[in-house]
Amino acid sequence: MDSTNTVADLINESREVLYGETKECVTLENVYQLMVGMNERLTTIEKGMLQVTQINRTLTTMVHNFGELKTKVSNVESDVNKLKSKSATTESDIASIKNKNVNIDRDMKQMKKDNSETNRNMQGLSDFIDDFRAKHESNVKEVSGIRTAMSKAVNDFEDMSHELKQEIKVSINEVKEENDELKDTIIDLQCRSMKNNLIFTGLREPENENTENLIRGFIKDELHIYHKLELGNVHRFGTGAQPGKRGRPRPIVARFIYHNDLAMVMSNTYRLKGKQYGE
């Protein structure tokens, strides 16, 4: 009885907790309804637990994503610092570019000034070319006139040249005839003059020699002719050893004034037999 009351009290308390009501009589139907209600509550609690688990997973994912986000934020901060450094470098480059731009502006002003001077020079050159062209046209006309005059002069010269050639041919023929006559005269004179000439060979040629005295000494010492002979021109000719040098000496030609003197010398040449001299 006490046990039944205790169970009944427990059920009533449970019912009161579940439904907020208290009844004096507890039946099996009430117990069944209580169990059904508890089952529904447990089912609701299980669903809530599933939601809690899902929330935990979501929170875990959010924490993980937050960590990645923090890493990305750190990377972004590093990139921002790099950008700041690059920005400082860029500002320095911009300052340098500004300085260069100032120099370029100065150079552009100088170029404009030079261009203005060049334009003035070009204008002067254009004026010079125009003046040169005018003078050239005038010169062309003058050259054309000169060519015409030269052509006429060439034609006249050709006519005169033809006449002059004819005259030269006649003169040359006359000169040839005179030259032939002179040759005959010279040959005759040479033949006459060679009759009294005598050639001596083998006589050494000392430095600063007196050729006539050398021949007179030779005639006296080698041919034993002691009286004075009358000689005309006496000289060496041809090629041979130089004065004071070893080798075959140059021959000497001597012209005798009198043929008898030449004949006397020739009659004594037998004395030279076996010696290096010749005549």
Side-chain angles (χ1 to χ4, degrees), residues 121-161:
N121 293 334
M122 289 296 293
Q123 182 61 40
L125 181 61
S126 177
D127 296 339
F128 172 77
I129 291 174
D130 292 338
D131 183 61
F132 176 79
R133 184 180 290 110
K135 290 182 179 179
H136 176 69
E137 292 175 354
S138 176
N139 291 334
V140 168
K141 292 180 181 179
E142 292 180 1
V143 169
S144 178
I146 292 172
R147 284 180 177 175
T148 302
M150 287 183 65
S151 177
K152 184 177 181 302
V154 168
N155 293 331
D156 294 340
F157 176 77
E158 289 179 352
D159 295 338
M160 293 175 62
S161 176

CSV table of all heavy atoms in Angstrom, one decimal, residues 121-161:
chain,number,residue,atom,x,y,z
A,121,ASN,N,68.2,78.8,-90.4
A,121,ASN,CA,69.2,78.3,-91.3
A,121,ASN,C,68.7,77.7,-92.6
A,121,ASN,O,69.2,77.8,-93.7
A,121,ASN,CB,70.1,77.3,-90.6
A,121,ASN,CG,70.9,78.0,-89.5
A,121,ASN,OD1,71.2,79.2,-89.5
A,121,ASN,ND2,71.3,77.2,-88.5
A,122,MET,N,67.6,76.9,-92.4
A,122,MET,CA,66.9,76.3,-93.6
A,122,MET,C,66.4,77.3,-94.5
A,122,MET,O,66.5,77.2,-95.8
A,122,MET,CB,65.8,75.4,-93.1
A,122,MET,CG,66.3,74.1,-92.4
A,122,MET,SD,67.2,73.0,-93.5
A,122,MET,CE,65.9,72.5,-94.7
A,123,GLN,N,65.9,78.4,-94.0
A,123,GLN,CA,65.4,79.5,-94.8
A,123,GLN,C,66.5,80.1,-95.6
A,123,GLN,O,66.4,80.4,-96.8
A,123,GLN,CB,64.7,80.5,-94.0
A,123,GLN,CG,64.1,81.7,-94.8
A,123,GLN,CD,63.0,81.2,-95.8
A,123,GLN,OE1,62.2,80.3,-95.4
A,123,GLN,NE2,63.0,81.7,-97.0
A,124,GLY,N,67.7,80.3,-94.9
A,124,GLY,CA,68.8,80.8,-95.6
A,124,GLY,C,69.3,79.9,-96.6
A,124,GLY,O,69.7,80.3,-97.7
A,125,LEU,N,69.3,78.6,-96.3
A,125,LEU,CA,69.7,77.6,-97.3
A,125,LEU,C,68.8,77.6,-98.5
A,125,LEU,O,69.2,77.4,-99.6
A,125,LEU,CB,69.8,76.2,-96.6
A,125,LEU,CG,70.2,75.0,-97.5
A,125,LEU,CD1,71.6,75.3,-98.0
A,125,LEU,CD2,70.1,73.7,-96.7
A,126,SER,N,67.5,77.7,-98.2
A,126,SER,CA,66.5,77.7,-99.3
A,126,SER,C,66.8,78.9,-100.2
A,126,SER,O,66.8,78.8,-101.5
A,126,SER,CB,65.1,77.8,-98.7
A,126,SER,OG,64.2,77.9,-99.8
A,127,ASP,N,67.1,80.1,-99.6
A,127,ASP,CA,67.4,81.3,-100.4
A,127,ASP,C,68.7,81.0,-101.2
A,127,ASP,O,68.7,81.4,-102.4
A,127,ASP,CB,67.6,82.5,-99.5
A,127,ASP,CG,66.3,82.8,-98.8
A,127,ASP,OD1,65.2,82.4,-99.3
A,127,ASP,OD2,66.4,83.5,-97.7
A,128,PHE,N,69.7,80.4,-100.6
A,128,PHE,CA,70.9,80.1,-101.3
A,128,PHE,C,70.7,79.2,-102.5
A,128,PHE,O,71.2,79.3,-103.6
A,128,PHE,CB,71.9,79.5,-100.3
A,128,PHE,CG,73.2,79.0,-101.0
A,128,PHE,CD1,74.2,79.9,-101.4
A,128,PHE,CD2,73.3,77.6,-101.2
A,128,PHE,CE1,75.3,79.4,-102.0
A,128,PHE,CE2,74.5,77.1,-101.9
A,128,PHE,CZ,75.4,78.0,-102.3
A,129,ILE,N,69.8,78.1,-102.2
A,129,ILE,CA,69.5,77.2,-103.3
A,129,ILE,C,68.8,77.9,-104.5
A,129,ILE,O,69.1,77.6,-105.6
A,129,ILE,CB,68.7,76.0,-102.8
A,129,ILE,CG1,69.5,75.1,-101.8
A,129,ILE,CG2,68.1,75.1,-103.9
A,129,ILE,CD1,68.8,74.1,-101.1
A,130,ASP,N,67.8,78.8,-104.1
A,130,ASP,CA,67.1,79.5,-105.2
A,130,ASP,C,68.1,80.3,-106.0
A,130,ASP,O,68.0,80.4,-107.2
A,130,ASP,CB,66.0,80.4,-104.6
A,130,ASP,CG,64.9,79.6,-103.9
A,130,ASP,OD1,64.8,78.4,-104.3
A,130,ASP,OD2,64.2,80.1,-103.0
A,131,ASP,N,69.0,81.0,-105.3
A,131,ASP,CA,70.0,81.8,-106.0
A,131,ASP,C,70.9,80.9,-106.8
A,131,ASP,O,71.3,81.3,-108.0
A,131,ASP,CB,70.8,82.6,-104.9
A,131,ASP,CG,71.8,83.5,-105.6
A,131,ASP,OD1,71.4,84.4,-106.4
A,131,ASP,OD2,73.0,83.4,-105.4
A,132,PHE,N,71.3,79.8,-106.2
A,132,PHE,CA,72.2,78.9,-107.0
A,132,PHE,C,71.5,78.3,-108.2
A,132,PHE,O,72.1,78.2,-109.3
A,132,PHE,CB,72.6,77.7,-106.0
A,132,PHE,CG,73.4,76.6,-106.7
A,132,PHE,CD1,74.7,76.8,-107.0
A,132,PHE,CD2,72.8,75.5,-107.2
A,132,PHE,CE1,75.5,75.8,-107.6
A,132,PHE,CE2,73.5,74.5,-107.8
A,132,PHE,CZ,74.9,74.7,-108.0
A,133,ARG,N,70.2,78.0,-108.1
A,133,ARG,CA,69.4,77.5,-109.2
A,133,ARG,C,69.4,78.5,-110.3
A,133,ARG,O,69.5,78.2,-111.5
A,133,ARG,CB,68.0,77.1,-108.8
A,133,ARG,CG,67.2,76.5,-109.9
A,133,ARG,CD,65.8,76.1,-109.4
A,133,ARG,NE,65.8,75.0,-108.5
A,133,ARG,CZ,65.5,75.2,-107.2
A,133,ARG,NH1,65.2,76.3,-106.7
A,133,ARG,NH2,65.6,74.1,-106.4
A,134,ALA,N,69.1,79.8,-109.9
A,134,ALA,CA,69.1,80.9,-111.0
A,134,ALA,C,70.5,81.0,-111.7
A,134,ALA,O,70.5,81.1,-112.9
A,134,ALA,CB,68.7,82.2,-110.3
A,135,LYS,N,71.5,81.0,-110.8
A,135,LYS,CA,72.9,81.1,-111.4
A,135,LYS,C,73.2,79.9,-112.3
A,135,LYS,O,73.8,80.0,-113.3
A,135,LYS,CB,73.9,81.2,-110.3
A,135,LYS,CG,73.9,82.6,-109.6
A,135,LYS,CD,74.9,82.7,-108.6
A,135,LYS,CE,74.9,84.0,-107.9
A,135,LYS,NZ,75.9,84.2,-106.8
A,136,HIS,N,72.7,78.7,-111.8
A,136,HIS,CA,72.9,77.5,-112.6
A,136,HIS,C,72.3,77.5,-114.0
A,136,HIS,O,72.9,77.1,-115.0
A,136,HIS,CB,72.4,76.3,-111.8
A,136,HIS,CG,72.5,75.0,-112.5
A,136,HIS,ND1,73.7,74.4,-112.8
A,136,HIS,CD2,71.5,74.2,-113.1
A,136,HIS,CE1,73.5,73.2,-113.5
A,136,HIS,NE2,72.2,73.1,-113.6
A,137,GLU,N,71.0,78.0,-114.0
A,137,GLU,CA,70.3,78.2,-115.3
A,137,GLU,C,71.1,79.1,-116.2
A,137,GLU,O,71.2,78.9,-117.4
A,137,GLU,CB,68.9,78.6,-115.0
A,137,GLU,CG,68.0,77.6,-114.3
A,137,GLU,CD,66.7,78.2,-114.0
A,137,GLU,OE1,66.4,79.4,-114.2
A,137,GLU,OE2,65.8,77.4,-113.5
A,138,SER,N,71.6,80.2,-115.6
A,138,SER,CA,72.4,81.1,-116.4
A,138,SER,C,73.7,80.5,-116.9
A,138,SER,O,74.0,80.6,-118.0
A,138,SER,CB,72.7,82.4,-115.5
A,138,SER,OG,73.6,83.3,-116.3
A,139,ASN,N,74.3,79.7,-116.0
A,139,ASN,CA,75.5,79.0,-116.4
A,139,ASN,C,75.3,78.0,-117.5
A,139,ASN,O,76.1,77.8,-118.4
A,139,ASN,CB,76.2,78.3,-115.2
A,139,ASN,CG,76.7,79.3,-114.2
A,139,ASN,OD1,77.1,80.4,-114.6
A,139,ASN,ND2,76.8,78.9,-112.9
A,140,VAL,N,74.1,77.3,-117.4
A,140,VAL,CA,73.7,76.3,-118.4
A,140,VAL,C,73.6,77.0,-119.8
A,140,VAL,O,74.1,76.5,-120.8
A,140,VAL,CB,72.4,75.6,-118.0
A,140,VAL,CG1,71.8,74.8,-119.2
A,140,VAL,CG2,72.6,74.7,-116.8
A,141,LYS,N,73.0,78.2,-119.8
A,141,LYS,CA,72.9,78.9,-121.0
A,141,LYS,C,74.3,79.3,-121.6
A,141,LYS,O,74.5,79.1,-122.8
A,141,LYS,CB,72.0,80.1,-120.8
A,141,LYS,CG,70.6,79.8,-120.5
A,141,LYS,CD,69.8,81.1,-120.3
A,141,LYS,CE,68.3,80.8,-120.0
A,141,LYS,NZ,67.5,82.1,-119.8
A,142,GLU,N,75.1,79.7,-120.6
A,142,GLU,CA,76.5,80.1,-121.1
A,142,GLU,C,77.2,78.9,-121.6
A,142,GLU,O,77.9,79.0,-122.6
A,142,GLU,CB,77.2,80.8,-119.9
A,142,GLU,CG,76.7,82.1,-119.5
A,142,GLU,CD,77.4,82.7,-118.3
A,142,GLU,OE1,78.4,82.1,-117.9
A,142,GLU,OE2,77.1,83.8,-117.9
A,143,VAL,N,77.1,77.8,-120.9
A,143,VAL,CA,77.8,76.5,-121.3
A,143,VAL,C,77.3,76.1,-122.6
A,143,VAL,O,78.1,75.6,-123.5
A,143,VAL,CB,77.6,75.4,-120.2
A,143,VAL,CG1,78.1,74.1,-120.7
A,143,VAL,CG2,78.4,75.8,-118.9
A,144,SER,N,76.0,76.2,-122.8
A,144,SER,CA,75.4,75.8,-124.1
A,144,SER,C,76.0,76.7,-125.2
A,144,SER,O,76.4,76.2,-126.3
A,144,SER,CB,73.9,76.0,-124.1
A,144,SER,OG,73.3,75.7,-125.4
A,145,GLY,N,76.2,78.0,-125.0
A,145,GLY,CA,76.8,78.9,-126.0
A,145,GLY,C,78.3,78.5,-126.2
A,145,GLY,O,78.8,78.5,-127.3
A,146,ILE,N,79.0,78.1,-125.0
A,146,ILE,CA,80.4,77.8,-125.2
A,146,ILE,C,80.5,76.5,-126.0
A,146,ILE,O,81.4,76.3,-126.8
A,146,ILE,CB,81.0,77.6,-123.8
A,146,ILE,CG1,81.1,79.0,-123.1
A,146,ILE,CG2,82.3,76.9,-123.8
A,146,ILE,CD1,81.5,78.9,-121.6
A,147,ARG,N,79.6,75.5,-125.7
A,147,ARG,CA,79.6,74.3,-126.5
A,147,ARG,C,79.4,74.5,-128.0
A,147,ARG,O,80.1,73.9,-128.8
A,147,ARG,CB,78.5,73.3,-126.0
A,147,ARG,CG,78.8,72.7,-124.6
A,147,ARG,CD,77.7,71.8,-124.2
A,147,ARG,NE,78.0,71.1,-123.0
A,147,ARG,CZ,77.2,70.3,-122.3
A,147,ARG,NH1,76.0,70.1,-122.8
A,147,ARG,NH2,77.6,69.7,-121.2
A,148,THR,N,78.5,75.4,-128.3
A,148,THR,CA,78.3,75.7,-129.7
A,148,THR,C,79.6,76.3,-130.3
A,148,THR,O,80.0,75.9,-131.4
A,148,THR,CB,77.1,76.7,-129.8
A,148,THR,OG1,76.0,76.2,-129.3
A,148,THR,CG2,76.9,77.0,-131.3
A,149,ALA,N,80.2,77.3,-129.5
A,149,ALA,CA,81.4,77.9,-130.0
A,149,ALA,C,82.5,76.8,-130.1
A,149,ALA,O,83.3,76.8,-131.1
A,149,ALA,CB,81.8,79.0,-129.1
A,150,MET,N,82.6,75.9,-129.1
A,150,MET,CA,83.6,74.9,-129.1
A,150,MET,C,83.4,73.9,-130.3
A,150,MET,O,84.4,73.5,-131.0
A,150,MET,CB,83.7,74.1,-127.8
A,150,MET,CG,84.2,74.9,-126.7
A,150,MET,SD,84.3,73.9,-125.2
A,150,MET,CE,85.5,72.7,-125.7
A,151,SER,N,82.2,73.6,-130.6
A,151,SER,CA,81.9,72.7,-131.7
A,151,SER,C,82.3,73.4,-133.0
A,151,SER,O,83.0,72.7,-133.9
A,151,SER,CB,80.4,72.4,-131.8
A,151,SER,OG,80.1,71.6,-132.9
A,152,LYS,N,82.1,74.7,-133.1
A,152,LYS,CA,82.5,75.4,-134.4
A,152,LYS,C,84.0,75.4,-134.4
A,152,LYS,O,84.7,75.2,-135.5
A,152,LYS,CB,82.0,76.8,-134.4
A,152,LYS,CG,82.3,77.6,-135.6
A,152,LYS,CD,81.6,78.9,-135.6
A,152,LYS,CE,81.9,79.7,-136.8
A,152,LYS,NZ,83.4,79.9,-137.1
A,153,ALA,N,84.7,75.7,-133.2
A,153,ALA,CA,86.1,75.7,-133.2
A,153,ALA,C,86.7,74.3,-133.5
A,153,ALA,O,87.8,74.3,-134.2
A,153,ALA,CB,86.6,76.2,-131.8
A,154,VAL,N,86.1,73.3,-133.0
A,154,VAL,CA,86.6,71.9,-133.3
A,154,VAL,C,86.5,71.6,-134.8
A,154,VAL,O,87.4,71.1,-135.4
A,154,VAL,CB,85.8,70.9,-132.5
A,154,VAL,CG1,86.1,69.5,-133.0
A,154,VAL,CG2,86.1,70.9,-131.0
A,155,ASN,N,85.4,72.0,-135.4
A,155,ASN,CA,85.3,71.8,-136.8
A,155,ASN,C,86.4,72.6,-137.6
A,155,ASN,O,87.0,72.1,-138.5
A,155,ASN,CB,83.9,72.3,-137.3
A,155,ASN,CG,82.8,71.4,-136.8
A,155,ASN,OD1,83.0,70.2,-136.5
A,155,ASN,ND2,81.6,71.9,-136.6
A,156,ASP,N,86.6,73.9,-137.2
A,156,ASP,CA,87.6,74.7,-137.8
A,156,ASP,C,89.0,74.1,-137.6
A,156,ASP,O,89.8,74.1,-138.5
A,156,ASP,CB,87.6,76.1,-137.2
A,156,ASP,CG,86.3,76.9,-137.6
A,156,ASP,OD1,85.6,76.4,-138.6
A,156,ASP,OD2,85.9,77.8,-136.9
A,157,PHE,N,89.2,73.6,-136.3
A,157,PHE,CA,90.5,73.0,-136.0
A,157,PHE,C,90.7,71.7,-136.8
A,157,PHE,O,91.8,71.5,-137.3
A,157,PHE,CB,90.5,72.6,-134.5
A,157,PHE,CG,91.8,71.9,-134.1
A,157,PHE,CD1,92.9,72.6,-133.9
A,157,PHE,CD2,91.8,70.5,-133.9
A,157,PHE,CE1,94.1,72.0,-133.6
A,157,PHE,CE2,92.9,69.9,-133.5
A,157,PHE,CZ,94.1,70.6,-133.4
A,158,GLU,N,89.6,70.9,-137.0
A,158,GLU,CA,89.8,69.7,-137.9
A,158,GLU,C,90.2,70.1,-139.3
A,158,GLU,O,91.0,69.4,-139.9
A,158,GLU,CB,88.5,68.9,-137.8
A,158,GLU,CG,88.2,68.2,-136.5
A,158,GLU,CD,86.9,67.5,-136.5
A,158,GLU,OE1,86.2,67.6,-137.5
A,158,GLU,OE2,86.6,66.7,-135.5
A,159,ASP,N,89.6,71.2,-139.8
A,159,ASP,CA,89.9,71.6,-141.1
A,159,ASP,C,91.4,72.1,-141.2
A,159,ASP,O,92.1,71.7,-142.1
A,159,ASP,CB,89.0,72.7,-141.6
A,159,ASP,CG,87.5,72.3,-141.7
A,159,ASP,OD1,87.3,71.0,-141.9
A,159,ASP,OD2,86.6,73.1,-141.7
A,160,MET,N,91.7,72.9,-140.2
A,160,MET,CA,93.1,73.4,-140.1
A,160,MET,C,94.1,72.2,-139.9
A,160,MET,O,95.2,72.2,-140.4
A,160,MET,CB,93.2,74.4,-139.0
A,160,MET,CG,92.5,75.7,-139.2
A,160,MET,SD,92.6,76.8,-137.8
A,160,MET,CE,94.3,77.1,-137.8
A,161,SER,N,93.7,71.2,-139.0
A,161,SER,CA,94.5,70.1,-138.7
A,161,SER,C,94.8,69.3,-140.0
A,161,SER,O,95.9,68.8,-140.2
A,161,SER,CB,93.9,69.2,-137.7
A,161,SER,OG,94.6,68.1,-137.4
